Structures are given as structure tokens and as C-alpha cells.
Amino acid sequence: MKVLLLKDPKDKDSGPDPYVKELGLYGLEATLIPVLSFEFVSLESLFEKLSHPESYGGLVFTSPRALEAIKICLRENSKSEAWSKSLKQRWNTKPAYVVGKATASLVEEIGLSPQGEKTGNAEKLAEYICSREKGNSSCLLFPCGALKREVLPTALKEKGIPLESLTVYQTTEHTNLQESLSSYFSQQGIPASIVFFSPSGVKFCLQHIQKLSGDFINHVKFAAIGPTTAEAMEAAGIPVSCTAESPTPQDLAAGIQKALRLQNCVCSKNTAHISS
């Protein structure tokens, strides 16, 4: 059975995409279609703030893109040198809060030690931060996207924990999205399952998928990488067959396998009932 993953492929240099690989272990044939494009902004302002760790109590990352913004900054020799010589060590005396393993691994790549990677979503990360920070603590620096949800900032504000948000990337629809979706559906047919990885993905893809699937859309098992995406899907009228327990290839693959197995059981019962 086929599964359509609405996400960017993992960096080719780091081997096969872990989601495609994990679903393959269940005998599912997964295909990736990039949905989003990102434009990085305010990079000078970002590095200026990173140059003053004494002004902050720590860092907060809820997206791998925020780390990509930092890595772009560090491509400049002078900035990379300043980071390696002193800034990295000074930031390492403070917490770097993250949501999920993908973000945590990128934090490690720039030489910092992530905390909170098992939280899995913004709500749980907010709880985690609130359990460790005091209301009178120094401000946390939060590089984020223009479409960030207000769950984490609101939760911290209610506890009196200061947070400084800085927009470092903007999200737009991938230029080849419509063409890629049309090509997939014409060549592969209707997939057994379609997975959304972000609320933005729901916003940019849903209309195209509804058009391409037609009446067969009711046969598709829709899956979400996490509760935030699931909420966006439900708000758009998509029935969510499964939500990954945590945003990992293992949990997503297990959830999809279970949803498809239940569907097959129902189909088998209906067939048996009709034939009898």
C-alpha cells in the first residue's frame, strides 16, 4: 500500500529519509512531496542577539528552520569563528529548550546541548520550561517563524517567564507543489494514507488533494505528525485516522499501520457479511 508524506526529504547526504525507511519496514511504499518553501529573514539581528548571551537566560527552538537560520549565519567565517571561540561555550551554560528529536539533533550540530526533546509539542514544551524557569528569570530568546502559534508564548507569559520572539523565517507554498501532487496522483493513484506534517501543509495542500482524489477521498486514511497538525486538519474538515504519539518515524509508522489494519478488518467483515 502507498503512503504520501507531505514533507521535505531529509538531507540526501545523511542517507535515506527515516520516515520512508520506517514505513518500508511495514511493507508500505512511501513517497515524499515537499510542501513548503522558507525565506530566511532578520539574520543580522539574529546573530546580534546570539552575540550577547549575557542578555538572555537561554534559547527556545520549536522548529528545525530556526536552527537552519543560525547555521546560515555561521557560514560567514567571522561569525563562525566568534561562535567557536566563545559564544558557543557561553550559551552552553544556559538551557537550549527544544521540541522533538529533529530540532534537538540540529541544536547538537551547532554545539549546544538540547533539553526537552521528548516533549513533542509546544504545549508540553511550555510545561517543561515553566517547571524549570522562575518568573523573575532572564529573558529566553525564541527564534521562530512568522506563522508560529501563540501556545508557548502565552503559557510562558501567564507564568511570568519573559520570552523574546524573533521572526527568522517566513513560510510559503513550495513552487512545485501543485505539479508534484498532480504527477503523483496520475502515476501512483490514490494513496492508502496521506500524512500532514504541519498546519501550513494542510493550508497549502488540502484543496489540491480534494480535487485530485474526488469521491475516493473517503477511502484515504489521513494521519498527523502531532496534535497541532491534527487540530488544523479537523478544523479544515479532514477526518484524522491517527496522530503519532510522538513526532518520530517509529510512532508515525506504527499509527498508520494500525489505522490501515483496522480499515482492512472492517472491509473484510463487510465483505463476509455481503457474501453470506
Side-chain angles (χ1 to χ4, degrees):
M1 284 190 281
K2 293 181 169 61
V3 177
L4 177 58
L5 303 173
L6 298 169
K7 70 179 283 289
D8 277 351
K10 193 180 176 188
D11 200 353
K12 285 178 184 157
D13 298 336
S14 52
D17 185 272
Y19 287 93
V20 172
K21 189 176 177 183
E22 192 67 28
L23 286 160
L25 297 177
Y26 288 92
L28 299 169
E29 184 187 336
T31 301
L32 296 156
I33 289 183
V35 173
L36 308 174
S37 290
F38 301 96
E39 179 191 352
F40 294 96
V41 297
S42 307
L43 297 184
E44 285 300 324
S45 180
L46 172 61
F47 195 77
E48 173 63 25
K49 293 178 188 301
L50 290 173
S51 299
H52 294 283
E54 71 281 358
S55 300
Y56 299 97
L59 293 158
V60 179
F61 299 108
T62 59
S63 162
R65 309 297 167 201
L67 274 306
E68 284 183 34
I70 292 177
K71 290 173 88 172
I72 291 169
C73 288
L74 297 182
R75 284 177 193 165
E76 284 186 35
N77 288 339
S78 59
K79 290 174 181 172
S80 178
E81 193 176 336
W83 180 259
S84 299
K85 280 191 172 179
S86 69
L87 294 177
K88 180 171 65 176
Q89 289 84 341
R90 288 161 68 194
W91 278 111
N92 255 328
T93 64
K94 305 166 188 289
Y97 296 112
V98 303
V99 58
K101 290 183 178 179
T103 308
S105 65
L106 288 170
V107 166
E108 288 170 347
E109 281 181 24
I110 63 168
L112 302 182
S113 300
Q115 293 183 29
E117 65 180 85
K118 292 182 180 177
T119 53
N121 61 56
E123 287 88 346
K124 290 180 181 175
L125 179 61
E127 289 174 19
Y128 182 88
I129 294 172
C130 289
S131 71
R132 283 158 176 74
E133 298 288 329
K134 297 181 177 64
N136 59 356
S137 58
S138 298
C139 188
L140 298 171
L141 179 60
F142 179 32
C144 56
L147 299 179
K148 78 173 190 306
R149 292 169 73 227
E150 293 302 320
V151 171
L152 188 141
T154 301
L156 267 56
K157 188 177 181 181
E158 285 173 358
K159 296 289 184 179
I161 298 167
L163 182 76
E164 182 182 331
S165 301
L166 176 67
T167 299
V168 295
Y169 67 91
Q170 295 172 342
T171 307
T172 57
E173 180 180 317
H174 195 283
T175 50
N176 297 329
L177 177 61
Q178 290 188 45
E179 186 184 333
S180 298
L181 285 171
S182 297
S183 175
Y184 176 87
F185 276 81
S186 64
Q187 292 174 22
Q188 308 274 354
I190 311 290
S193 178
I194 296 175
V195 188
F196 287 97
F197 284 78
S198 69
S200 299
V202 177
K203 175 185 170 185
F204 295 137
C205 290
L206 181 56
Q207 198 174 354
H208 305 312
I209 287 169
Q210 287 170 327
K211 187 177 176 183
L212 291 163
S213 301
D215 294 337
F216 291 100
I217 197 164
N218 296 326
H219 299 291
V220 178
K221 292 295 179 185
F222 287 97
I225 192 61
T228 306
T229 302
E231 284 172 22
M233 291 164 69
E234 286 164 358
I238 307 175
V240 182
S241 296
C242 81
T243 303
E245 285 188 20
S246 64
T248 64
Q250 292 76 18
D251 283 341
L252 179 67
I256 291 173
Q257 166 71 1
K258 186 177 178 182
L260 292 174
R261 197 169 62 236
L262 287 171
Q263 182 187 39
N264 287 339
C265 289
V266 171
C267 290
S268 298
K269 285 178 183 175
N270 289 343
T271 304
H273 179 71
I274 291 165
S275 59
S276 62

